[in-house]
């Protein structure tokens, strides 16, 4: 076994692990298992020199590549997004180490509105007002913004709470914060296709879906429990305190 063989095995194992991460908890994982079974069956059939079955399974696997692209388009999008985001963040981090002033974060300056969002979320949690707040990072959220009601307003606590007030015409859906402003309200987010706990409502599913499709931070305020959650990269942290939310936002927006 040569060094190239070791690298080859490592890369394949890494790809398999990434596929498992992206499909974990979804029906896609079962589809992957089914594809592996068909592929193993094809190898066995070829080894036994069963020409007819080998030809049929070979045609199925050949056409299956196109079917895989269609079936896994969302997972492929997530994988490419994750890959591109990590590259962009690393390049930005490298350049920022050279040019930023010592002792100062990359994006923390000019984000005093984080405290406003935290306080508004805490107030809505106390009054059990449901809310969904999407905070853009590197990925452009224009497709989501265009589906909502454009606002382009300064970030303020009263405005956020008024938007999510039960009788407000904009309370359904999410607000999107981009470039330090409230870009839009009443935005429709993609819902996750993963299996989630039964206690998750539509807001939590939408938050997970948006965090899977983009690199945004998504804050959820539960109307039933009055709790705060935050979703990022397809994972959600539940029942967090305002202080913890503040830390997660500053950390998430500083890289």
């Amino acid at each position: 076994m040569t060094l190239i063989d070791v690298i080859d095995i490592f890369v394949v194992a890494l790809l398999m692990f990434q596929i498992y991460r992206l499909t974990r908890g979804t029906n896609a994982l079962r589809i992957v298992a089914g594809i592996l079974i068909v592929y193993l069956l094809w190898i066995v059939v070829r080894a036994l020199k069963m020409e007819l079955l080998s030809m049929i399974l070979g045609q199925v696997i050949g056409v299956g590549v196109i079917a895989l692209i269609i079936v896994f388009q969302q997972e492929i999008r997530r994988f490419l997004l994750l890959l591109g985001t990590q590259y962009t963040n690393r390049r930005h981090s490298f350049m920022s180490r050279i040019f930023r002033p010592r002792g100062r974060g990359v994006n923390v300056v000019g984000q005093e509105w984080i405290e406003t969002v935290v306080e508004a979320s805490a107030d809505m949690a106390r009054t059990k007002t449901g809310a969904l707040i999407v905070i853009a990072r590197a990925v452009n959220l224009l497709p989501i913004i265009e589906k909502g009601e454009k606002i382009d307003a300064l970030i303020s606590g009263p405005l956020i709470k008024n938007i999510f007030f039960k009788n407000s015409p904009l309370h359904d859906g999410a607000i999107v914060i981009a470039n330090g402003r409230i870009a839009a309200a009443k935005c429709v987010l993609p819902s996750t296709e993963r299996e989630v706990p039964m206690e998750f409502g539509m807001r939590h599913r939408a938050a997970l879906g948006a965090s899977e499709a983009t690199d945004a931070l998504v804050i959820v305020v539960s109307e039933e429990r009055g709790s705060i959650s935050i979703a990022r990269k397809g994972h959600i942290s539940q029942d967090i305190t305002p202080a913890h939310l503040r830390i997660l936002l500053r950390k998430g927006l500083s890289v």
Side-chain angles (χ1 to χ4, degrees):
M1 181 177 289
T2 64
L3 178 61
I4 298 299
D5 296 326
V6 174
I7 295 174
D8 187 23
I9 294 172
F10 175 76
V11 171
V12 171
L14 182 62
L15 287 174
M16 294 297 291
F17 176 69
Q18 289 296 335
I19 291 172
Y20 170 74
R21 283 187 58 193
L22 291 173
T23 59
R24 181 176 54 190
T26 68
N27 291 327
L29 185 59
R30 299 185 181 93
I31 298 175
V32 170
I35 292 171
L36 288 177
I37 291 172
V38 172
Y39 181 70
L40 292 175
L41 180 61
W42 180 55
I43 292 177
V44 172
V45 167
R46 288 185 60 189
L48 295 176
K49 296 183 179 180
M50 301 171 69
E51 298 296 335
L52 183 59
L53 273 176
S54 178
M55 181 183 67
I56 294 173
L57 291 176
Q59 292 295 328
V60 170
I61 292 175
V63 177
V65 175
I66 301 175
L68 282 177
I69 296 175
I70 297 173
V71 172
F72 293 109
Q73 57 179 327
Q74 190 65 28
E75 283 73 18
I76 293 173
R77 171 185 167 86
R78 285 171 53 197
F79 176 75
L80 294 176
L81 176 64
L82 178 64
L83 187 64
T85 301
Q86 287 182 349
Y87 170 75
T88 303
N89 287 344
R90 287 175 183 173
R91 184 178 64 178
H92 177 74
S93 178
F94 173 76
M95 296 300 293
S96 64
R97 289 194 190 102
I98 299 175
F99 294 108
R100 72 181 177 186
R102 187 170 296 182
R104 176 175 292 182
V106 179
N107 293 325
V108 173
V109 176
Q111 292 178 352
E112 295 81 5
W113 53 265
I114 289 178
E115 188 63 33
T116 302
V117 172
V118 171
E119 291 178 357
S121 300
D123 290 341
M124 290 186 292
R126 280 191 291 269
T127 58
K128 291 188 176 182
T129 301
L132 197 55
I133 304 172
V134 182
I135 302 175
R137 297 178 72 236
V139 176
N140 194 323
L141 300 184
L142 188 59
I144 294 178
I145 293 172
E146 289 179 341
K147 293 180 181 178
E149 298 291 336
K150 293 184 180 179
I151 296 179
D152 190 25
L154 292 174
I155 300 172
S156 70
L159 177 58
I160 294 174
K161 289 184 284 187
N162 282 334
I163 288 175
F164 289 111
F165 182 67
K166 186 174 294 185
N167 294 327
S168 168
L170 301 177
H171 81 281
D172 284 333
I175 67 170
V176 176
I177 294 177
N179 300 319
R181 298 177 68 86
I182 299 178
K186 206 174 183 179
C187 298
V188 178
L189 304 182
S191 183
T192 183
E193 297 180 2
R194 293 163 49 189
E195 295 178 0
V196 296
M198 293 295 294
E199 65 268 17
F200 276 18
M202 293 303 297
R203 288 189 180 91
H204 290 83
R205 293 174 180 272
L208 277 174
S211 69
E212 291 169 353
T214 71
D215 67 340
L217 304 175
V218 188
I219 302 171
V220 185
V221 180
S222 173
E223 187 174 356
E224 291 78 17
R225 296 182 296 156
S227 61
I228 301 174
S229 305
I230 185 168
R232 182 188 179 191
K233 294 183 179 180
H235 299 282
I236 189 165
S237 302
Q238 301 184 71
D239 301 322
I240 60 176
T241 64
H244 191 194
L245 175 63
R246 183 182 300 108
I247 293 172
L248 292 177
L249 289 179
R250 291 193 177 278
K251 181 179 179 181
L253 296 171
S254 297
V255 293

